[in-house]
């Protein structure tokens, strides 16, 4: 298993290289540059050219790319143009990454907890009232646009029943670890819960139909013939088999929380990487955009690896020696 | 008087389909004594597995109604609650299934799957590990330690079926149900598995209900034979009686359609038509006669008496059509 992981990581290196070129070129393709719309309307063309030259934006893309890669290897992603002018990108991301990670972890745990418990209840009570209710509820949440759902939750739990804060991450550099931990938990919970409620539906529907499929398998009959009670058959045999196809998606969903949090972070005023990305996009902040996209690209590759590891852990048939 | 391990009296099973109960099997009377093998033969769809499933209590009670009386080792099964069934399954009766790959949980080690059969009835049995090894030895697996640690996909088909047999034997049941135990295996492995079942049955002096459509398997293992068609038993008797003196048209057709009974160059007989579906079944008539086009209509449509006729001691036949039935008529009609 260890060898496989090392091999997979080595294969990832050229992949990361291609991803970086792709990301850099995409950023170049965006119309305009960071100085557009941020300049004094009275500045003359020469001033703009001087600024572009100072930033290296007048060079051909491949030279810009090489400069960028060399800097990235030194941990230097450049400085922000518009979002937080003059501050190093690595510093901005460093500040923003933990709130997103913590929210992502809570959201993923809640998602799978909701999906698994609902799917089990549904499958155990197929076609009964509770099953029909859960199916309808999950169809409903998948039919509502996510941001609408986010606003409803925001209004409900911040204004109508004010039990959660309306913005912020609850992280304060001057405070100790525990204050920050619980402060962040308090601030991250509502957006995480909302994301979880919303993204439960796809896992739920998938898991429910898998559970029903697995229930009809021969090995279930064998277990019943041994005298195992139906609820134990679900717990020991069916659930794990039904979970197999989903396990391969968990890795992606863990690393995918960064991208998926854009709407939620913006709506809930939770300044993490998702919100940063939205700001950077509208401000054409190249350095931040490329850095975030590179991060996302690398994370996706690791997500794939993580998924493979999880699948192999759950399913002995795909374990590689 | 031999000990009766299975006594089925007037067993019927009805399935609920679109809020309507349809009878799948009707009026089954069968007995298996200790140390005996009863083979239940018939085409797919004749109700063999439906009957076996009702002995295991594995029908979904919401969609199925089992009536009559099924006694295993003297214990009445019809009307048991789910809880009572859970305690009974795997203890008094063990079952071997057709496809050993799909019948084993792909994600669980062999040893754990066998151990589960023991611990589910005896939670804190300290001897489980040893018992699993002994069981694996009993079914002819020598490298029991290694196999116990493997997963089903790492074993061959024959090994997997041996494991299934070990699971069925885990609690030393008096009655073993083998539902097409060799159908999914190749010929050489089939012979080995049959040998194994025979050995175990002899050693444990157990009763076996063998479900099969393979007449070779029947002659190899069985003491008694019951032939089933369209949810009813049409003929039963000892192996010798059935094979050497078959009476019912269906039994005779089955034997005639057996490749072993055909001389080289001769065309193999095939029974025309198929088993009727549940909705078409008429339990007062002999449904099989519909598939004998050369028989007289009066014979085909005649009502069949409820009691089977005893043509010789221990040899029972359903209906009277056998008296009018002959294969020679086919040729006469065609000429």
């Amino acid at each position: 298993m260890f060898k496989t992981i090392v091999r997979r990581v080595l294969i990832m290196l050229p992949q990361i290289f291609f991803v970086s070129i792709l990301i850099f070129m995409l950023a170049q393709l965006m119309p305009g540059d960071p100085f557009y719309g941020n300049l004094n309307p009275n500045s003359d063309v020469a001033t703009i050219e001087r600024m572009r030259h100072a930033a290296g934006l007048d060079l051909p893309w491949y030279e810009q790319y090489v400069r960028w890669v060399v800097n990235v290897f030194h941990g230097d992603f450049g400085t922000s143009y518009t979002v937080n002018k003059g501050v190093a990108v690595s510093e901005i991301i460093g500040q923003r990454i933990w709130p997103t990670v913590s929210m992502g972890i809570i959201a993923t745990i809640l998602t799978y907890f909701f999906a698994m418990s609902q799917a089990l209840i549904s499958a155990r009570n197929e076609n009964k009232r509770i099953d029909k209710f859960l199916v309808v509820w999950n169809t409903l949440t998948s039919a509502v646009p996510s941001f609408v759902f986010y606003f409803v939750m925001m209004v409900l739990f911040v204004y109508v029943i004010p039990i959660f804060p309306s913005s912020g991450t609850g992280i304060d550099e001057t405070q100790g670890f525990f204050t920050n931990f619980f402060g962040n938990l308090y601030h991250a919970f509502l957006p995480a819960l909302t994301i979880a409620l919303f993204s439960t539906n796809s896992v739920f529907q998938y898991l429910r139909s898998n559970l029903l499929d697995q229930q009809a398998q021969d090995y279930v009959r064998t277990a019943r013939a041994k005298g195992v009670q139906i609820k134990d058959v679900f717990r020991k045999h069916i659930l794990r088999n039904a979970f197999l196809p989903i396990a391969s998606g968990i890795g992606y969903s863990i690393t995918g929380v960064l991208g998926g949090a854009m709407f939620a972070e913006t709506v809930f005023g939770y300044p993490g990487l998702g919100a940063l990305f939205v700001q950077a996009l509208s401000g054409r902040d190249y350095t931040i955009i490329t850095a975030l996209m590179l991060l996302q690209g690398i994370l996706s590759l690791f997500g794939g690896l993580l998924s493979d590891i999880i699948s192999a852990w759950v399913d002995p048939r795909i374990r590689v020696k | 008087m031999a000990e009766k391990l299975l006594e089925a009296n007037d067993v019927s099973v009805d399935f609920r389909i679109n809020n309507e109960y349809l009878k799948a099997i009707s009026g089954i009377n069968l007995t298996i004594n200790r140390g005996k093998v009863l083979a239940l033969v018939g085409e797919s769809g004749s109700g063999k597995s439906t009957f076996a499933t009702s002995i295991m209590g594995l029908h979904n009670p919401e969609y199925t109604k089992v009536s009559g009386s099924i006694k295993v080792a003297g214990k009445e099964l019809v009307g048991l609650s789910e809880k009572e069934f859970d305690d009974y399954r795997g203890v008094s009766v063990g079952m071997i299934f057709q496809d050993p790959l799909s019948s084993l949980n792909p994600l669980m080690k062999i040893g754990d799957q066998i151990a589960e059969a023991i611990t589910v009835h005896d939670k804190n049995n300290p001897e489980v590990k040893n018992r699993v090894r002994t069981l694996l030895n009993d079914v002819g697996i020598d490298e029991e330690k290694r196999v116990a640690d493997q997963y089903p996909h790492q074993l061959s088909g024959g090994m997997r079926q041996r494991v299934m047999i070990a699971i069925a034997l885990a609690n030393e049941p008096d009655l073993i149900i083998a539902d097409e135990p060799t159908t999914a295996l190749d010929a050489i492995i089939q012979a080995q598995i049959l040998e194994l079942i025979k050995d175990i049955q002899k050693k444990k002096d157990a009763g076996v209900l063998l479900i099969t459509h393979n007449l070779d398997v029947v002659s190899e293992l069985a003491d008694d034979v019951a032939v089933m068609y369209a949810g009813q038993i049409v003929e039963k008797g000892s192996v010798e009686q059935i094979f050497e003196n078959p009476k019912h048209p269906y039994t005779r057709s089955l034997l005639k359609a057996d490749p072993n009974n055909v001389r080289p160059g001769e065309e193999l007989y095939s029974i025309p038509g198929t088993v009727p579906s549940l909705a078409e079944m008429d339990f007062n008539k002999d449904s099989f006669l519909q598939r004998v086009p050369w028989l007289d209509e009066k014979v085909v449509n005649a009502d069949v008496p409820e009691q089977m006729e005893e043509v010789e001691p221990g040899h029972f036949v359903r209906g009277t059509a056998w008296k009018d039935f002959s294969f020679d008529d086919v040729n006469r009609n065609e000429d």
Side-chain angles (χ1 to χ4, degrees):
Chain A
M1 196 65 210
F2 179 71
K3 264 190 186 164
T4 321
I5 295 173
V6 171
R7 200 168 55 210
R8 283 290 307 269
V9 172
L10 287 178
I11 295 173
M12 274 160 60
L13 293 177
Q15 287 176 324
I16 292 172
F17 171 69
F18 282 117
V19 165
S20 70
I21 290 190
L22 205 66
I23 288 168
F24 196 79
M25 287 176 68
L26 281 174
Q28 293 283 317
L29 283 174
M30 287 205 306
D33 70 29
F35 300 121
Y36 272 49
N38 256 334
L39 291 168
N40 180 349
N42 299 322
S43 35
D44 56 26
V45 178
T47 318
I48 301 175
E49 278 311 313
R50 219 177 314 120
M51 288 172 75
R52 281 175 56 88
H53 181 74
L57 289 174
D58 55 344
L59 295 169
W61 72 267
Y62 46 87
E63 273 184 52
Q64 289 190 40
Y65 173 73
V66 172
R67 283 172 63 167
W68 178 63
V69 168
V70 170
N71 287 333
V72 164
F73 267 104
H74 292 96
D76 178 8
F77 288 88
T79 54
S80 165
Y81 286 111
T82 53
V83 173
N84 211 341
K85 214 168 175 178
V87 179
V89 170
S90 48
E91 194 184 316
I92 298 178
I93 291 181
Q95 280 171 0
R96 298 270 200 137
I97 196 165
W98 294 115
T100 296
V101 168
S102 67
M103 186 179 80
I105 291 173
I106 302 172
T108 309
I109 293 173
L110 288 178
T111 302
Y112 282 90
F113 173 73
F114 289 152
M116 277 169 72
S117 42
Q118 287 180 21
L120 264 178
I121 293 171
S122 251
R124 286 292 308 278
N125 301 289
E126 194 195 353
N127 289 332
K128 294 201 182 126
R129 223 174 264 168
I130 179 78
D131 175 38
K132 284 177 180 158
F133 169 77
L134 287 171
V135 170
V136 168
W137 162 254
N138 279 286
T139 314
L140 209 67
T141 59
S142 67
V144 178
S146 60
F147 54 90
V148 173
F149 191 72
Y150 294 163
F151 277 118
V152 170
M153 290 292 283
M154 175 91 176
V155 169
L156 206 60
F157 290 106
V158 176
Y159 296 104
V160 180
I161 317 166
I163 47 173
F164 286 108
S166 64
S167 65
T169 59
I171 294 176
D172 182 352
E173 307 266 293
T174 61
Q175 298 292 319
F177 174 76
F178 281 102
T179 318
N180 275 332
F181 181 82
F182 288 107
N184 180 235
L185 198 65
Y186 177 51
H187 281 77
F189 191 76
L190 183 60
L193 175 74
T194 309
I195 293 175
L197 283 176
F198 190 76
S199 45
T200 295
N201 55 57
S202 59
V203 184
F204 164 80
Q205 280 163 359
Y206 204 10
L207 193 56
R208 176 179 175 274
S209 70
N210 282 348
L211 283 169
L212 294 177
D213 271 359
Q214 291 297 327
Q215 214 180 335
Q217 295 295 314
D218 287 348
Y219 69 83
V220 172
R221 191 183 49 181
T222 308
R224 298 282 284 144
K226 289 177 193 171
V228 184
Q229 289 178 32
I230 186 72
K231 71 168 199 290
D232 290 332
V233 177
F234 262 97
R235 197 165 52 82
K236 287 187 190 158
H237 297 273
I238 300 178
L239 187 58
R240 202 159 157 215
N241 275 287
F243 205 69
L244 272 189
I246 291 161
S248 59
I250 291 187
Y252 290 109
S253 69
I254 290 176
T255 56
V257 289
L258 294 186
M262 278 196 306
F263 282 136
E265 286 186 1
T266 308
V267 170
F268 287 98
Y270 186 85
L273 290 183
L276 176 67
F277 192 62
V278 176
Q279 282 173 276
L281 271 181
S282 48
R284 298 205 177 85
D285 203 332
Y286 282 171
T287 45
I288 292 184
I289 293 171
T290 44
L292 281 180
M293 283 174 72
L294 186 66
L295 183 67
Q296 182 66 48
I298 293 172
L299 279 175
S300 301
L301 292 174
F302 271 103
L305 178 64
L306 196 58
S307 288
D308 286 358
I309 295 172
I310 293 173
S311 301
W313 175 58
V314 186
D315 190 348
R317 285 167 297 184
I318 52 177
R319 273 174 212 165
V320 209
K321 284 196 191 81
Chain B
M1 181 80 189
E3 187 190 346
K4 284 181 180 166
L5 291 182
L6 173 74
E7 287 175 86
N9 269 311
D10 197 22
V11 176
S12 299
V13 176
D14 295 62
F15 291 125
R16 198 180 80 194
I17 297 166
N18 298 330
N19 280 325
E20 196 186 343
Y21 275 99
L22 294 176
K23 207 172 268 307
I25 61 176
S26 166
I28 305 288
N29 294 305
L30 282 176
T31 309
I32 300 178
N33 291 333
R34 181 172 283 286
K36 293 285 180 196
V37 178
L38 171 73
L40 195 55
V41 296
E43 278 163 284
S44 307
S46 54
K48 303 172 308 232
S49 290
T50 302
F51 177 62
T53 310
S54 59
I55 301 175
M56 292 302 285
L58 284 175
H59 286 302
N60 184 339
E62 268 180 63
Y63 298 102
T64 328
K65 201 171 68 189
V66 180
S67 45
S69 156
I70 306 174
K71 279 185 187 160
V72 170
K75 186 183 169 72
E76 176 61 53
L77 299 183
V78 177
L80 281 192
S81 69
E82 265 307 295
K83 175 84 193 61
E84 290 167 314
F85 258 124
D86 284 333
D87 291 338
Y88 143 86
R89 282 186 206 116
V91 177
S92 317
V93 57
M95 189 155 178
I96 305 166
F97 295 101
Q98 180 172 351
D99 181 353
L101 179 57
S102 62
S103 295
L104 290 167
N105 184 344
L107 306 183
M108 213 169 167
K109 284 181 180 169
I110 297 297
D112 295 340
Q113 302 204 37
I114 301 174
E116 187 185 34
I118 302 162
T119 50
V120 74
H121 299 291
D122 185 4
K123 250 196 189 122
N124 303 311
N125 190 332
E127 289 293 305
V128 173
K129 269 215 159 123
N130 291 329
R131 178 88 184 106
V132 168
R133 286 184 196 153
T134 320
L135 279 166
L136 283 169
N137 272 329
D138 285 352
V139 295
I141 295 174
D142 301 326
E143 294 180 284
E144 69 278 355
K145 264 191 186 159
R146 192 172 58 83
V147 171
D149 246 356
Q150 284 184 314
Y151 290 93
H153 71 279
Q154 294 170 300
L155 303 181
S156 66
M159 289 283 263
R160 286 195 283 256
Q161 194 58 298
R162 285 172 196 271
V163 171
M164 281 304 297
I165 295 172
I167 290 175
L169 294 178
N171 296 304
E172 307 205 308
D174 297 316
L175 181 67
I176 299 166
I177 302 175
D179 190 352
E180 311 254 9
T182 57
T183 310
L185 306 172
D186 63 57
I188 295 170
I189 308 299
Q190 271 191 17
Q192 290 174 1
I193 295 293
L194 288 181
E195 200 61 37
L196 176 65
I197 294 176
K198 203 152 80 177
D199 279 356
I200 284 170
Q201 183 262 332
K202 288 251 161 65
K203 216 185 289 169
K204 317 255 172 198
D205 204 22
V208 174
L209 175 65
L210 175 72
I211 295 169
T212 183
H213 54 243
N214 185 336
L215 295 173
D216 280 347
V217 174
V218 176
S219 56
E220 184 85 21
L221 277 186
D223 300 299
D224 300 298
V225 184
V227 182
M228 228 176 147
Y229 185 79
Q232 285 177 310
I233 289 172
V234 293
E235 185 165 3
K236 62 180 179 183
S238 71
V239 169
E240 293 78 22
Q241 288 167 340
I242 299 292
F243 274 75
E244 275 149 37
N245 189 19
K247 289 284 185 254
H248 193 275
Y250 184 55
T251 316
R252 292 173 63 187
S253 303
L254 275 184
L255 286 168
K256 195 172 160 68
D258 183 1
N260 291 325
N261 295 340
V262 179
R263 278 183 297 274
E266 203 178 319
E267 198 180 326
L268 178 62
Y269 178 72
S270 69
I271 306 172
T274 52
V275 177
S277 70
L278 289 192
E280 298 161 349
M281 283 185 188
D282 183 350
F283 291 98
N284 297 318
K285 306 259 193 299
D286 192 333
S287 329
F288 178 69
L289 303 179
Q290 301 289 341
R291 293 168 71 180
V292 188
W294 60 86
L295 266 187
D296 193 74
E297 230 170 85
K298 249 194 272 162
V299 180
V300 173
N301 290 329
D303 275 351
V304 167
E306 236 174 78
Q307 294 294 322
M308 291 172 86
E309 188 180 341
E310 189 162 13
V311 288
E312 54 185 314
H315 185 179
F316 296 84
V317 187
R318 185 160 189 271
T320 51
W322 60 275
K323 290 168 184 158
D324 300 299
F325 178 84
S326 158
F327 283 114
D328 298 337
D329 297 343
V330 195
N331 305 329
R332 203 180 302 149
N333 280 359
E334 277 170 5
D335 286 343

